[in-house]
Amino acid sequence: RSTYDCYGIITAAFSAFHSQMKQSATVHCFPRQEIMKWNGWGYSDSKFLFNKKGQAEFTGKRYRLSGMILPSLQDWFENTFGASVKQHKSPPSLNAGALPPANLNEAFLQDLTATGIPFSHEADDRVFRAHGHCLHEIFALREGRGFQRVPDMVTWPNCHNDVVKIVELACKHNVCVIPYGGGTSVTGALECPPEEMRCIVSLDTSQMNRILWIDEKNLVARIEAGIIGQDLERLLNEGGYCTGHEPDSMEFSSLGGWVATRASGMKKNVYGNIEDLVVHIKVVTPRGVMEKSCQGPRMSTGPDVHHFILGSEGTLGVVTEVTMKIRPIPEYRKYGSVVFPNFEAGVACLREVAKQRCAPASIRLMDNEQFQFGHALKPQVSSIFTSFVEGLKKFYITKFKGFDPHQLCVATLLFEGDRERVLQHEKQVYDIAAKFGGLAAGEDNGQRGYILTFVIAYLRDLGLDYYVVAESFETSVPWDRVLDLCRNVKERIIRECKERGVQFQPLTSCRVTQTYDAGACVYFYFAFNYRGLADPVHTYEQVEHAARDEILANGGSLSHHHGVGKLRKEWMKESISDVGLGMLRSVKEYVDPDNIFGNRNLL
Amino acid sequence: MASTTLYSQRDPMLKKRDDFEDILEERRNSSDLKYAVRCYAPVLYKGLTPCKANMLKSMVLQSDHLRYVINQVSQESGEAPDIIHEEASVILEEMAHRLKISTVRFFAFTLTKAFKTLFQHICVNEEGIHRLQQAIQEHPVVLLPSHRSYMDFLLMSYILYTYDLALPVIAAGMDFMGMKFIGEMLRMSGAFFIRRSFGGDKLYWAVFSEYVKTMLRNGFAPIEFFLEGTRSRTCKSLTPKIGLLNIVMEPFFKGEVFDVHLVPISISYERILEESLYARELLGVPKPKESTSGLLKARRILSENYGSIHVYFGQPVSIRSLAQDKVNRCKYNLVPRHIPRKPTKETQSFVTDTAYRIVRLQEDSMVLKPWVLMASILLQNLEGLELSLLTEQTLWLRGLAQSCGAFLDWPDHTPSAKVVSSSLALHRGLVCVSGGRVSLVLGEPQGLVTPEEALFNRAVSVLSCASYRNQILHVFIRPAILAVAIHNAASSKKDEVFNCFSFLCKMFSDEFILCPGDTVQDFEEACYLLVKSGSVQTLQQNIVVTDRGQSTLSFLNGLLESFLQGYQLFSTLVLGNLNMFSDKCPVEGTI
């Protein structure tokens, strides 16, 4: 049984689906959209809804929360957004007719057919790969407006050599290639440039999903880059290993995508971020294949060429195979949580934990808004007894300890390792927390926090059903500026919304999701009721733009792990300087002079 | 753009201003004691970290900024850090306020008594008070009053107490501290004392700036200081000092606060308590040292009538909106925020620009009494003039001033002859009417005086009168410079007039509030006003004076004449006696 109890059930279904696809490798036969939503997040069968009684429930069977009633969500939702569950707005169905006709390159098509690599130019295949999960993308789909430009065809290479062939043909016939992994981009990276006149081919890596070998002596594995995060963990788990790389999108995102965006995983404190995990990369570019000649753990051979690829966002080529570190599955894991009287105390504690370099596998600090939100997602309690215990706990924290329920905030923890060490480690962290007024608040609260991570993306779809738009964005920032940045960004959002005619005060919430020696990663959620706005997406984008300006002015980075895509291109020059940008440009010019990989991200 | 937010209206006639309420009226009809002990519960800044005045001190002494500077100074001087730390602690002790509500109540009681005898009205725009109240809740607030009198800061605290607003902490000159007892009283009513000059003293600067910033960041209280740095002895706004403004802006630039709001406040006195004192000071009689006994001696002023005071609380100005697209805050990302750094050129010019804009906002809302108009006319007719002519000219000037956007307090429904005569009565120390002729009082008539004394006395009256004329200068300064430029330019070609205008602006940059870099805008404004009043016409590339414009232009020329003469005289002197003026030339104050 998988150790990933949060989504243990789903994995079986997903992998069965994948293998089924493989057996019948004919043209247009890999419709992910059959089990995934085409106009929202995640699986078609999993979604939040308000039932006839007005109670919220989460459908399906895949998650812990699935099939449960969430009695407090309605109140929270209506009070937070000034929305009403009576004002439902159902999205239209896909209108294939509205799609721009495929602009096919006949010569390329002929040559590609000759290789036997499957491809499709069906409308739904193309639309599905025309977008990521930015608000404006999902909103356009839901409003039935679609996109100005979508891929003209989709192709499914089965291995590295297939990719080499496709890229060669693309160069020969001057066709634009956009690599597509898990489709979870939130930077507009998958959008087709409207000005692209050439045929656009979406190169879907989903069929390159094998673990090629496992080297137990060096604890590394060679993996095809199309593999999806949860499948990789499940397959490795079968042999007693894991990578420990768990970005929040790991149910759907791919290894190649992680490399291309410099992804970060929840448990990076133990396992590292993607750049720490990668030992070797094989990438197909218009200039040819690039890879290093050995798999030494560290090299001094000039600037690390891997770093041209890490974060290249599909502008230089396709990552086909990666050698990645693996670890034995940890013997013991334990969740935990700490309640702090306020956010300031929480940040001070995380800072101290980072200073003593004793961060657990994951440590995250939610602000009060998110704490309240988490509460709204509590499922109906099964017995009077549990609710009695809950009540007592609440009483102890708010009355006895004098915590203000509108100030307090919660840190969630996840420890991993052998049992003894975990317990020791746990004590050390709780001792530090106590110095900052933190109270241990139990394993359940901790675990709930991490479940939330996976279902939160589904909640945006629920909001959209009721005229609420929502998005998240992230940054990284030095420790001494964390509080100032959080406060100023929230205030800026509230103020910008007001100035732009948003009727009801927006929800702004943040959490510190990663700690580093010299700073932290901060994640913001932001949502508002858009009734009365002529162009909610435009308003949303203006506010997000202002929020990013504010982040940069407060010493935050352009992105910690989401990447730049097209959404944040305009700030690149300011972020990395003219010379820096010139360096990246010259690499692009050398590697891809004809802009075959023409998604126009980053630069 | 900042300028558009500050000056949204092109036509100064359209400026909207609030109405005034007299706060003394209620005091005259109810118990002063009750007023002094009433419940005082002001609204506070929402982000306030509650702390006592004493805690502030330890926060300052333990701040990273101060620790850094202490180490730096210790390394440079070779003294042990402990000793420097002790020094810092002494500086802070000498500087810090000890705001106490009981002292404020004491002042509320005594000041009410004094104000009621000294003044007829103290008028405040209540809408401004409401705006201030909201601003105080939302953001740290900096109060920036004009500075004409010692009364200013007592008056400010008095008004804020009256309206149940948070009492400010006030940056005051060290001179006050010399006053026994009173100095401590002021300290307990929120004043903190700073040395007049500490140019090179790193430690002093660090303690001072950290003290101000700590109060600002914590939202301890509104911070009040005088942009002009010192009392203007001439009633003409002084060019702003930007040191303190720089300090209060820094927490915003560094992201430590979301925004800071600046509130320009215009305090206009019908008669200034220090009136004749200033004139003597300008003539070189040394300023009496602030002392308690001096204050007691000054009691005799209590028997005089000083007319009314108008206090106008302007629209709070958000530094955040002003700085948008002007200051790149990212510049502050690369050095730890506690390490003091010289502001960049960009920041420096932004702060200077803002300082000038705030002083202009103060000027714009200065309330002008009819006497100011009369004084301007009398100064151009030193030999005196017929009362009827004075009345006629005053009315003419009223029209001109209003079309230039002056904030005139001209009584409604009162015959103009009465307005003129009551103004003359209030200022009988300066003017006399005999045989239907109005002229300046030329010194005290009693006894024999030497010719030197007579000259001195005459100068005192002229200067006192000039201090009233000066109050209206900001209204006319741009058109007046244009008038002089038209008069002196080689031709009526717009370019040549502009060159002359721009030369004069540069020359007068320390004399009047002319924001460096605004010359083109100032020129346009001047042209606009003169064209609007029908005094000049712009024909193709020429600026031509109209027939009916002659009188206006000659008045405007006359307005600046004494300044031009002063500069001329001074430069002749300097050129003639270069050696004499080699190191120090006290050009402070003006004619």
Side-chain angles (χ1 to χ4, degrees):
Chain A
R1 162 137 164 78
S2 152
T3 46
Y4 299 94
D5 29 2
C6 318
Y7 45 88
I9 309 162
I10 52 169
T11 38
F14 205 77
S15 63
F17 168 76
H18 273 274
S19 53
Q20 173 202 338
M21 290 193 305
K22 212 155 288 170
Q23 281 150 17
S24 52
T26 53
V27 180
H28 59 85
C29 66
F30 314 113
R32 295 200 210 190
Q33 54 269 36
E34 268 171 25
I35 63 155
M36 309 252 307
K37 292 195 195 84
W38 66 275
N39 61 356
W41 179 261
Y43 300 106
S44 304
D45 57 14
S46 301
K47 65 186 237 173
F48 285 96
L49 52 81
F50 288 113
N51 61 25
K52 288 200 181 81
K53 281 191 236 158
Q55 280 179 317
E57 58 180 87
F58 190 50
T59 63
K61 288 185 186 136
R62 295 172 193 271
Y63 299 87
R64 271 266 186 111
L65 224 50
S66 297
M68 293 208 191
I69 300 282
L70 315 162
S72 344
L73 189 60
Q74 186 202 340
D75 270 357
W76 177 86
F77 185 76
E78 295 191 335
N79 293 334
T80 307
F81 298 110
S84 163
V85 300
K86 292 196 187 73
Q87 288 158 345
H88 187 266
K89 187 176 197 265
S90 32
S93 51
L94 176 62
N95 179 4
L99 207 64
N103 164 32
L104 297 172
N105 181 319
E106 289 303 330
F108 173 78
L109 214 58
Q110 231 168 26
D111 281 357
L112 186 66
T113 315
T115 63
I117 301 168
F119 62 86
S120 153
H121 38 81
E122 292 294 315
D124 49 356
D125 286 330
R126 289 165 56 207
V127 173
F128 193 83
R129 287 159 187 84
H131 65 88
H133 284 270
C134 282
L135 179 75
H136 70 267
E137 295 168 315
I138 298 302
F139 201 86
L141 287 169
R142 290 176 58 105
E143 294 291 300
R145 261 188 254 134
F147 306 104
Q148 229 181 313
R149 189 78 170 89
V150 302
D152 298 300
M153 56 183 286
V154 182
T155 174
W156 286 269
N158 194 42
C159 60
H160 170 81
N161 285 339
D162 282 358
V163 175
V164 173
K165 281 179 207 158
I166 294 170
V167 173
E168 268 171 13
L169 289 178
C171 293
K172 180 173 161 201
H173 299 289
N174 193 21
V175 160
C176 172
V177 177
I178 297 184
Y180 182 92
T184 57
S185 158
V186 284
T187 58
L190 291 167
E191 274 178 288
C192 300
E195 67 274 22
E196 180 60 72
M197 302 304 288
R198 298 172 294 181
C199 168
I200 299 179
V201 178
S202 176
L203 190 153
D204 185 321
T205 60
S206 61
Q207 305 314 300
M208 307 197 296
N209 58 358
R210 286 151 293 216
I211 294 177
L212 299 176
W213 44 254
I214 291 177
D215 175 353
E216 294 180 286
K217 289 199 185 68
N218 296 303
L219 285 178
V220 292
R222 181 72 156 184
I223 307 150
E224 286 185 312
I227 196 163
I228 300 298
Q230 58 171 315
D231 295 338
L232 173 60
E233 286 310 294
R234 180 178 41 78
L235 293 172
L236 283 175
N237 286 174
E238 283 167 10
Y241 292 105
C242 66
T243 64
H245 184 68
E246 295 185 14
D248 289 358
S249 61
M250 70 173 293
E251 291 172 277
F252 309 108
S253 58
S254 68
L255 170 56
W258 300 338
V259 171
T261 56
R262 292 181 66 87
S264 169
M266 182 180 96
K267 299 192 292 193
K268 73 97 193 151
N269 294 335
V270 173
Y271 300 95
N273 286 319
I274 193 71
E275 67 272 20
D276 310 310
L277 287 164
V278 161
V279 175
H280 186 269
I281 297 172
K282 191 151 141 191
V283 55
V284 181
T285 77
R287 277 276 172 195
V289 175
M290 185 193 85
E291 61 178 324
K292 291 185 187 172
S293 66
C294 72
Q295 306 198 109
R298 182 186 186 274
M299 302 173 202
S300 175
T301 46
D304 189 343
V305 289
H306 281 169
H307 283 283
F308 288 129
I309 306 306
L310 283 155
S312 59
E313 304 193 358
T315 59
L316 298 179
V318 188
V319 178
T320 53
E321 291 172 16
V322 175
T323 305
M324 210 177 163
K325 297 177 194 170
I326 55 170
R327 300 288 306 165
I329 294 175
E331 168 199 316
Y332 189 65
R333 59 162 48 203
K334 193 171 179 190
Y335 289 99
S337 65
V338 182
V339 182
F340 292 98
N342 53 45
F343 192 62
E344 289 75 12
V347 171
C349 171
L350 261 64
R351 204 280 159 266
E352 183 60 29
V353 166
K355 198 188 228 168
Q356 297 192 21
R357 289 198 172 168
C358 64
S362 169
I363 177 165
R364 286 177 172 179
L365 180 74
M366 300 189 260
D367 68 357
N368 183 263
E369 284 83 359
Q370 230 164 105
F371 163 75
Q372 304 216 5
F373 170 51
H375 253 260
L377 284 176
K378 259 192 179 171
Q380 208 158 25
V381 280
S382 42
S383 75
I384 300 168
F385 180 71
T386 10
S387 101
F388 174 71
V389 173
E390 286 294 318
L392 264 186
K393 261 196 226 158
K394 201 169 163 185
F395 175 81
Y396 176 75
I397 288 173
T398 60
K399 296 285 178 331
F400 187 70
K401 277 284 167 186
F403 285 13
D404 177 353
H406 296 286
Q407 289 283 315
L408 63 79
C409 72
V410 181
T412 57
L413 312 167
L414 171 60
F415 298 91
E416 273 190 12
D418 57 73
R419 194 161 182 282
E420 210 143 293
R421 289 257 287 279
V422 163
L423 295 178
Q424 216 179 342
H425 194 178
E426 193 187 20
K427 186 176 177 307
Q428 187 185 6
V429 172
Y430 282 119
D431 283 351
I432 294 174
K435 281 191 201 135
F436 295 90
L439 288 177
E443 284 183 66
D444 275 358
N445 280 322
Q447 194 171 11
R448 193 166 26 241
Y450 290 99
I451 294 174
L452 213 68
T453 302
F454 292 100
V455 299
I456 204 155
Y458 287 98
L459 271 159
R460 177 165 82 188
D461 295 333
L462 179 75
L464 285 168
D465 286 343
Y466 296 93
Y467 298 91
V468 170
V469 287
E471 185 67 287
S472 61
F473 49 88
E474 40 73 48
T475 187
S476 55
V477 60
W479 278 114
D480 69 316
R481 287 173 171 271
V482 170
L483 285 174
D484 288 331
L485 180 130
C486 291
R487 183 197 55 236
N488 289 351
V489 170
K490 283 179 176 181
E491 177 110 24
R492 177 79 181 259
I493 291 172
I494 291 171
R495 191 197 247 233
E496 293 283 337
C497 280
K498 200 168 165 191
E499 276 170 18
R500 295 173 203 288
V502 175
Q503 310 281 321
F504 207 81
Q505 179 162 318
L507 168 74
T508 56
S509 168
C510 65
R511 64 179 190 208
V512 179
T513 57
Q514 290 291 5
T515 63
Y516 291 88
D517 286 347
C521 167
V522 179
Y523 216 92
F524 288 92
Y525 289 107
F526 149 49
F528 62 85
N529 184 338
Y530 68 81
R531 292 188 74 95
L533 292 179
D535 188 348
V537 169
H538 183 61
T539 305
Y540 162 76
E541 282 175 344
Q542 286 178 313
V543 177
E544 193 195 347
H545 192 278
R548 183 57 63 180
D549 276 338
E550 193 62 33
I551 286 175
L552 298 177
N554 282 275
S557 64
L558 193 51
S559 171
H560 170 263
H561 61 275
H562 281 175
V564 174
K566 295 183 241 323
L567 203 59
R568 287 184 269 275
K569 259 164 86 160
E570 64 180 286
W571 289 285
M572 272 298 272
K573 197 168 119 181
E574 189 187 327
S575 288
I576 63 169
S577 84
D578 272 337
V579 178
L581 202 61
M583 286 177 174
L584 296 187
R585 279 217 181 96
S586 65
V587 170
K588 166 78 179 173
E589 261 154 42
Y590 172 77
V591 172
D592 184 15
D594 298 322
N595 196 27
I596 297 302
F597 288 90
N599 59 19
R600 307 204 184 208
N601 291 334
L602 211 55
L603 298 173
Chain B
M1 286 295 285
S3 56
T4 55
T5 52
L6 282 172
Y7 299 105
S8 48
Q9 270 130 2
R10 178 75 199 268
D11 191 338
M13 279 283 266
L14 298 175
K15 261 178 215 154
K16 271 182 74 181
R17 280 149 178 155
D18 310 334
D19 296 329
F20 286 100
E21 291 292 324
D22 181 4
I23 58 167
L24 278 189
E25 200 172 295
E26 206 194 322
R27 295 284 73 74
R28 293 194 204 277
N29 301 321
S30 61
S31 153
D32 292 340
L33 192 64
K34 220 186 226 168
Y35 165 72
V37 298
R38 86 203 156 92
C39 165
Y40 166 75
V43 287
L44 300 167
Y45 172 49
K46 65 176 180 192
L48 175 82
T49 331
C51 72
K52 293 252 161 56
N54 265 340
M55 250 167 81
L56 271 179
K57 287 188 209 162
S58 60
M59 282 169 80
V60 172
L61 288 175
Q62 279 156 26
S63 67
D64 292 336
H65 173 206
L66 203 58
R67 287 215 303 250
Y68 178 85
V69 174
I70 287 173
N71 282 334
Q72 208 181 19
V73 171
S74 145
Q75 264 163 23
E76 283 165 14
S77 67
E79 294 270 20
D82 289 353
I83 295 172
I84 311 280
H85 187 274
E86 196 46 45
E87 248 175 74
S89 173
V90 170
I91 294 173
L92 187 58
E93 208 52 46
E94 176 193 82
M95 181 185 307
H97 69 81
R98 280 195 295 279
L99 186 57
K100 257 193 186 147
I101 186 67
S102 53
T103 317
V104 174
R105 291 186 194 283
F106 168 79
F107 271 115
F109 181 74
T110 48
L111 283 178
T112 304
K113 296 279 183 213
F115 286 163
K116 282 198 289 195
T117 37
L118 284 170
F119 304 109
Q120 285 164 350
H121 309 283
I122 297 179
C123 300
V124 176
N125 64 325
E126 292 198 338
E127 277 170 65
I129 294 282
H130 294 314
R131 288 191 297 254
L132 175 60
Q133 187 171 26
Q134 279 187 337
I136 286 177
Q137 269 173 295
E138 289 297 310
H139 303 288
V141 163
V142 178
L143 304 173
L144 300 169
S146 58
H147 202 10
R148 300 287 174 270
S149 166
Y150 279 146
M151 285 313 289
D152 292 328
F153 71 80
L154 290 175
L155 186 65
M156 280 293 299
S157 300
Y158 182 81
I159 292 170
L160 296 180
Y161 174 79
T162 303
Y163 284 102
D164 221 13
L165 287 174
L167 288 169
V169 290
I170 308 137
M174 201 69 121
D175 351 346
F176 287 105
M177 227 183 63
M179 301 166 81
K180 273 189 198 118
F181 183 63
I182 296 287
E184 285 312 293
M185 289 290 284
L186 292 177
R187 204 191 271 283
M188 285 191 280
S189 64
F192 62 96
F193 297 103
I194 44 178
R195 294 181 195 160
R196 280 252 173 253
S197 60
F198 43 88
D201 193 339
K202 247 188 221 169
L203 187 66
Y204 193 86
W205 178 259
V207 173
F208 165 56
S209 62
E210 190 56 36
Y211 183 58
V212 173
K213 284 189 279 186
T214 305
M215 290 191 287
L216 190 90
R217 284 188 293 246
N218 283 25
F220 180 84
I223 288 165
E224 177 181 318
F225 63 91
F226 300 102
L227 267 180
E228 297 165 273
T230 180
R231 289 170 302 153
S232 162
R233 268 64 166 173
T234 58
C235 279
K236 187 160 59 61
S237 294
L238 303 177
T239 50
K241 310 276 175 291
I242 65 164
L244 245 168
L245 195 60
N246 230 327
I247 293 176
V248 296
M249 283 189 176
E250 218 182 66
F252 165 71
F253 293 145
K254 291 184 172 174
E256 294 163 339
V257 294
F258 182 75
D259 199 355
V260 174
H261 278 187
L262 308 177
V263 184
I265 297 158
S266 319
I267 308 178
S268 348
Y269 294 89
E270 189 165 6
R271 248 187 94 189
I272 284 175
L273 298 175
E274 296 99 324
E275 186 177 80
S276 61
L277 220 59
Y278 284 164
R280 282 161 212 282
E281 251 185 72
L282 288 174
L283 287 167
V285 179
K287 166 183 153 192
K289 205 167 158 29
E290 284 81 356
S291 69
T292 310
S293 59
L295 186 83
L296 291 173
K297 275 182 212 145
R299 265 177 319 171
R300 73 179 174 88
I301 59 168
L302 280 176
S303 56
E304 292 220 28
N305 175 7
Y306 285 88
S308 48
I309 304 176
H310 285 82
V311 183
Y312 193 93
F313 287 82
Q315 185 80 41
V317 178
S318 147
I319 293 186
R320 175 175 275 267
S321 340
L322 280 186
Q324 201 177 1
D325 304 326
K326 293 213 177 132
V327 178
N328 181 1
R329 287 183 285 155
C330 294
K331 293 242 169 74
Y332 294 85
N333 289 346
L334 297 179
V335 175
R337 291 180 290 177
H338 65 269
I339 296 180
R341 279 201 304 168
K342 280 239 163 62
T344 58
K345 264 215 175 95
E346 173 195 70
T347 314
Q348 196 84 33
S349 79
F350 169 73
V351 179
T352 308
D353 201 56
T354 308
Y356 273 89
R357 281 176 206 292
I358 297 286
V359 174
R360 274 200 76 183
L361 287 173
Q362 287 174 353
E363 288 184 333
D364 275 350
S365 299
M366 282 292 202
V367 174
L368 304 175
K369 287 288 184 178
W371 169 246
V372 170
L373 303 173
M374 292 159 63
S376 312
I377 292 162
L378 278 167
L379 273 179
Q380 294 194 22
N381 299 278
L382 280 174
E383 68 293 344
L385 75 171
E386 296 294 321
L387 179 58
S388 56
L389 188 60
L390 177 64
T391 312
E392 188 191 310
Q393 291 218 4
T394 305
L395 288 176
W396 169 81
L397 188 54
R398 180 177 75 156
L400 185 64
Q402 274 170 340
S403 84
C404 288
F407 195 4
L408 265 181
D409 182 35
W410 190 280
D412 297 324
H413 320 298
T414 316
S416 35
K418 182 128 192 271
V419 174
V420 170
S421 63
S422 64
S423 299
L424 290 172
L426 184 69
H427 296 280
R428 60 180 171 270
L430 286 177
V431 276
C432 60
V433 190
S434 65
R437 246 186 117 71
V438 186
S439 54
L440 287 183
V441 172
L442 300 177
E444 288 146 51
Q446 81 265 29
L448 284 168
V449 285
T450 63
E452 286 81 21
E453 279 169 334
L455 186 65
F456 186 84
N457 287 339
R458 185 181 155 78
V460 169
S461 340
V462 171
L463 280 176
S464 304
C465 200
S467 77
Y468 288 97
R469 185 266 327 263
N470 286 348
Q471 292 180 25
I472 205 168
L473 279 176
H474 69 267
V475 175
F476 293 128
I477 187 61
R478 288 161 189 80
I481 293 179
L482 181 58
V484 175
I486 292 173
H487 190 75
N488 289 293
S491 77
S492 61
K493 282 239 161 31
K494 201 171 180 177
D495 291 351
E496 298 216 27
V497 176
F498 176 76
N499 286 341
C500 191
F501 181 89
S502 136
F503 167 77
L504 289 165
C505 284
K506 210 181 268 172
M507 186 175 85
F508 282 137
S509 63
D510 283 328
E511 193 67 48
F512 307 113
I513 302 305
L514 296 162
C515 183
D518 270 4
T519 311
V520 174
Q521 218 176 307
D522 286 340
F523 182 70
E524 276 170 16
E525 196 181 317
C527 289
Y528 173 80
L529 289 172
L530 285 187
V531 168
K532 200 187 67 165
S533 70
S535 311
V536 301
Q537 279 181 314
T538 47
L539 298 168
Q540 280 121 28
Q541 287 308 306
N542 291 294
I543 298 181
V544 187
V545 182
T546 61
D547 289 342
R548 50 186 276 244
Q550 296 295 348
S551 53
T552 308
L553 264 82
S554 104
F555 168 77
L556 293 173
N557 265 302
L559 208 56
L560 290 188
E561 202 179 81
S562 57
F563 293 96
L564 289 165
Q565 279 173 357
Y567 275 57
Q568 202 172 21
L569 195 69
F570 186 74
S571 21
T572 325
L573 261 173
V574 172
L575 290 175
N577 303 281
L578 266 180
N579 307 334
M580 230 179 86
F581 287 91
S582 55
D583 352 298
K584 44 180 180 178
C585 39
V587 214
E588 213 196 314
T590 40
I591 322 296

